[in-house]
């Protein structure tokens, strides 16, 4: 009886030691899949640009309010334009595995000025065009308020590839949480990662993809949390939103 108890204790100890290793391996596998997805998407974006005078998609749908049902249109409009370059046909759908990050199991949405956690995948939602990935289109985001207008935020939608000054640091396509201030890979509510460098998977104009620490604080420390896409990060970060 004592021997069985000792064996049970040893098994429990081994399980406790192995669980973090297995969990880490699973998380790493998800990041690898996401990285490969972004590499293929990035190749499709570049092929599209090659056929359209190096322009990174036209800026469209300028009249939609910031929080309308089409508020995410600018982030996802690229999908329908370049999907044939990655072997996809028809309209975006939940079956498009290339646009589904395996870590995409939840997302946050704003309701009455507060964040709400949804235990669903963004790539299964029509408002996100069935995609886990957003194009760097902050410059194409609009509001009906007089305080917001086209070009107020950094981004590269409608830009040409060649004039982009630092392609190795300029984001091309990113996981959606990179825009909103949280991480699928280090879960915590938006804003709580401020100054904590929570990472996201980003693809860059020069063709590489990296798992990058993000700046989730405000561009002014005296202000409250803001969406990361509203401003370039301070010095020391490996990415930027603007092409200049």
């Amino acid at each position: 009886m004592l021997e069985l108890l000792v064996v049970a204790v040893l098994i429990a100890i081994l399980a406790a030691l192995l669980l973090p290793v297995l969990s880490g391996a699973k998380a790493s596998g998800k990041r690898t899949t996401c990285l490969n997805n972004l590499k293929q998407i990035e190749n499709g974006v570049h092929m599209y640009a090659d056929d359209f005078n190096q322009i990174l998609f036209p800026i469209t749908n300028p009249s939609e309010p910031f929080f309308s049902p089409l508020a995410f249109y600018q982030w996802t409009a690229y999908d329908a334009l370049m999907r044939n370059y990655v072997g996809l046909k028809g309209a975006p759908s939940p079956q498009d595995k290339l646009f589904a990050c395996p870590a995409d199991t939840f997302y946050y949405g704003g309701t009455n000025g507060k964040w709400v956690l949804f235990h669903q995948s963004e790539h299964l939602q029509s408002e996100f065009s069935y995609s886990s990935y957003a194009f760097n289109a902050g410059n194409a985001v609009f509001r009906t308020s007089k305080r917001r207008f086209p070009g107020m935020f950094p981004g590269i939608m409608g830009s040409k590839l060649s004039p982009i000054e630092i392609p190795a640091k300029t984001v091309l396509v990113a996981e959606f949480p990179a825009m909103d201030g949280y991480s699928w890979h280090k879960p915590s509510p938006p804003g709580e990662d401020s100054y904590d460098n929570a990472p996201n998977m980003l693809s860059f104009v020069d063709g590489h993809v990296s798992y990058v620490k993000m700046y989730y604080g405000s561009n002014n420390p005296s202000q409250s949390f803001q969406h990361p896409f509203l401003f370039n990060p301070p010095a020391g970060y490996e990415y930027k939103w603007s092409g200049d």
Side-chain angles (χ1 to χ4, degrees):
M1 189 67 177
L2 180 60
E3 290 83 355
L4 289 175
L5 183 60
V6 170
V7 170
V9 170
L10 289 174
I11 290 173
I13 293 172
L14 287 172
L17 292 172
L18 286 173
L19 188 59
V21 175
L22 294 174
S23 178
K26 185 176 180 180
S28 178
K30 290 179 179 179
R31 291 195 298 271
T32 298
T33 299
C34 190
L35 183 150
N36 291 333
N37 287 350
L38 279 171
K39 282 291 295 182
Q40 292 184 60
I41 292 169
E42 184 172 65
N43 288 338
V45 170
H46 277 268
M47 285 189 284
Y48 171 92
D50 287 342
D51 284 347
F52 289 91
N53 196 30
Q54 295 295 297
I55 294 175
L56 293 168
F57 310 107
I59 295 178
T60 56
N61 202 42
S63 61
E64 290 300 326
F66 193 66
F67 293 112
S68 76
L70 293 177
F72 302 104
Y73 182 87
Q74 284 81 14
W75 306 112
T76 59
Y78 78 102
D79 181 343
L81 297 173
M82 53 70 67
R83 59 193 287 105
N84 63 304
Y85 292 93
V86 291
L88 296 174
K89 297 181 180 179
S93 78
Q95 282 70 51
D96 295 336
K97 293 186 181 297
L98 179 61
F99 288 89
C101 175
D104 176 5
T105 58
F106 66 92
Y107 69 94
Y108 288 91
T111 301
N112 297 323
K114 296 182 179 179
W115 287 108
V116 177
L117 173 62
F118 295 89
H119 294 283
Q120 302 171 14
S121 300
E122 285 188 275
H123 73 85
L124 296 179
Q125 312 305 314
S126 60
E127 62 264 39
F128 298 105
S129 192
Y130 304 111
S131 179
S132 301
Y133 309 110
F135 188 76
N136 179 10
N139 61 316
V141 173
F142 299 83
R143 271 193 181 182
T144 52
S145 167
K146 294 180 180 179
R147 293 176 298 168
R148 305 288 189 189
F149 52 88
M152 184 174 183
F153 310 131
I156 58 172
M157 194 172 204
S159 301
K160 279 195 171 186
L161 279 169
S162 54
I164 292 176
E165 292 185 1
I166 312 177
K169 288 189 70 173
T170 304
V171 177
L172 189 71
V173 181
E175 295 176 319
F176 255 111
M179 312 294 174
D180 288 330
Y182 64 98
S183 173
W184 287 324
H185 310 285
K186 184 185 177 186
S188 61
E192 291 189 8
D193 281 328
S194 295
Y195 309 102
D196 196 31
N197 301 322
N200 274 288
M201 197 69 70
L202 310 177
S203 71
F204 294 85
V205 172
D206 74 335
H208 82 281
V209 179
S210 293
Y211 187 49
V212 175
K213 292 180 179 180
M214 306 289 296
Y215 180 72
Y216 287 157
S218 168
N219 57 342
N220 183 338
S222 67
Q223 297 177 357
S224 60
F225 167 80
Q226 297 184 40
H227 292 277
F229 77 85
L230 298 178
F231 48 87
N232 286 315
Y237 286 80
E238 299 176 8
Y239 73 96
K240 62 196 293 284
W241 302 110
S242 62
D244 53 15

